[in-house]
Amino acid sequence: MANFLNKLATDLLRLEINTIIKDEILCVTANSYRRELFDLAEEYRAKLVEFNGTNYMYDVTAEDLLNEQFSQRTGGELGFSEIIEYCDKKIELFINTIEAAPDNQDLLRYAKECKIMASRIKTQSLRIIDVLELQKELYPDQEWAWNNDYPDHQIDKIADLPLEADQIAIIRKASEIGTQHVVLQTVVQVQGDITSYMTNRFLRHTEKEQRMMIEMHQESISTGIRMWQGLFKAIGSLASGVFNAVTKNTRSAAGRSAGAGGSMGVPTRASMRRQKEDK
């Protein structure tokens, strides 16, 4: 319990609020962590095949294109490793493009955005591989507990991955952001530091759209801070309850030990006086 409380308190030292522009909201929740990882990997692959070295745009939804570019259409270590390799190639391509076209502002801006997206996908994929590697260490003899390199039609037929809370948090954050664009971000530190970020993409929106996004972001900050404060209070109450329970048990154990000591022949003042009188 102490380790749990310490980990939870550490996680609460930093609050991050993101405002994201999404093309659409499906309102569908994955029925397992396996499915969530598979869907995320497919989202990454679909975004990556938009990039090519000439036109920078492919048919995003073409199934044959995905199969042509990726041999591992899975959501496990093999699938995400292939995604990382693909990202490395695209990042190198965009760096070369940026260096070769310093005067073409439209191409320069697009190449920079694509490079940032490919870098984000790579970073999140590395974190997910770390999650699966940890599972392999925890369950070395149980392949089902860490292997998620299964095709789409098998994912929902296999028992779910037995993940810990911190592992789930990594997957959930990656899924929530996905390949969408963060336009506003605010980070609040427990010591009081507040940092806000605004992207160039935000500045390209109309004034009306900007006002709407700022209002939404401010409301999210207020809600997040209220929840943050509530969690801190809950942890304080929980920690206090654990401390009281431990000290109560310690006192009870000490009392029992004292009582047991007398019955086991530990000398008392009264017994010593009786011994002197007998002599």
Side-chain angles (χ1 to χ4, degrees):
M1 177 62 77
N3 290 336
F4 170 76
L5 290 174
N6 182 61
K7 177 66 171 61
L8 188 57
T10 301
D11 291 341
L12 288 174
L13 295 180
R14 180 177 184 273
L15 177 66
E16 181 180 305
I17 299 98
N18 296 305
T19 296
I20 302 170
I21 301 297
K22 293 182 71 74
D23 297 326
E24 58 182 13
I25 301 176
L26 299 178
C27 298
V28 176
T29 303
N31 57 11
S32 67
Y33 304 127
R34 288 190 186 279
R35 170 58 63 183
E36 196 164 0
L37 285 172
F38 181 88
D39 291 346
L40 179 62
E42 285 287 86
E43 182 179 351
Y44 285 167
R45 283 185 278 262
K47 174 57 69 173
L48 289 171
V49 296
E50 293 181 10
F51 311 144
N52 92 359
T54 305
N55 300 319
Y56 292 94
M57 272 307 219
Y58 275 138
D59 182 358
V60 179
T61 60
E63 188 72 12
D64 55 344
L65 180 59
L66 284 170
N67 289 327
E68 175 189 331
Q69 299 293 315
F70 296 96
S71 61
Q72 299 290 336
R73 296 284 300 278
T74 66
E77 187 174 349
L78 294 177
F80 281 102
S81 294
E82 187 179 39
I83 287 172
I84 291 170
E85 293 176 5
Y86 200 93
C87 286
D88 285 335
K89 295 176 183 177
K90 295 307 174 185
I91 290 170
E92 183 179 0
L93 169 66
F94 295 131
I95 290 174
N96 293 335
T97 302
I98 292 169
E99 293 175 350
D103 299 326
N104 188 334
Q105 294 302 312
D106 290 338
L107 180 58
L108 194 63
R109 184 178 66 191
Y110 184 76
K112 286 181 178 179
E113 288 184 353
C114 291
K115 175 180 173 293
I116 291 171
M117 180 60 68
S119 298
R120 185 211 292 177
I121 292 173
K122 177 182 177 179
T123 299
Q124 296 295 353
S125 296
L126 286 168
R127 289 174 179 168
I128 289 169
I129 288 178
D130 287 342
V131 168
L132 297 174
E133 286 288 345
L134 177 59
Q135 286 297 101
K136 192 181 295 187
E137 294 176 9
L138 294 173
Y139 305 93
D141 301 323
Q142 303 179 58
E143 184 177 342
W144 69 271
W146 53 264
N147 184 13
N148 201 42
D149 285 304
Y150 299 101
D152 189 7
H153 66 275
Q154 292 184 5
I155 284 290
D156 298 325
K157 299 177 182 178
I158 305 168
D160 203 4
L161 297 168
L163 302 178
E164 298 295 330
D166 52 346
Q167 296 172 299
I168 296 170
I170 291 172
I171 295 172
R172 285 283 155 81
K173 181 173 181 179
S175 297
E176 287 170 1
I177 296 179
T179 58
Q180 306 302 323
H181 296 282
V182 177
V183 291
L184 295 169
Q185 182 184 84
T186 297
V187 177
V188 183
Q189 305 285 353
V190 70
Q191 67 269 30
D193 293 340
I194 300 176
T195 306
S196 293
Y197 302 92
M198 181 184 299
T199 65
N200 288 328
R201 181 175 289 270
F202 171 80
L203 298 176
R204 295 202 294 270
H205 285 274
T206 65
E207 185 177 345
K208 181 179 179 180
E209 291 172 337
Q210 289 179 3
R211 285 200 304 269
M212 180 183 66
M213 285 185 278
I214 288 174
E215 289 174 3
M216 182 186 301
H217 190 70
Q218 289 175 337
E219 181 61 31
S220 297
I221 293 172
S222 299
T223 302
I225 289 176
R226 286 197 298 271
M227 293 180 64
W228 201 29
Q229 292 171 338
L231 285 170
F232 268 115
K233 290 180 181 178
I235 290 176
S237 298
L238 185 59
S240 176
V242 171
F243 177 78
N244 291 336
V246 170
T247 54
K248 182 179 179 180
N249 291 337
T250 302
R251 293 194 195 99
S252 299
R256 287 194 298 271
S257 297
S263 63
M264 291 175 64
V266 177
T268 64
R269 290 183 180 180
S271 64
M272 292 179 70
R273 282 199 300 271
R274 284 197 297 271
Q275 289 176 4
K276 289 181 180 180
E277 291 172 358
D278 291 340
K279 291 179 181 180

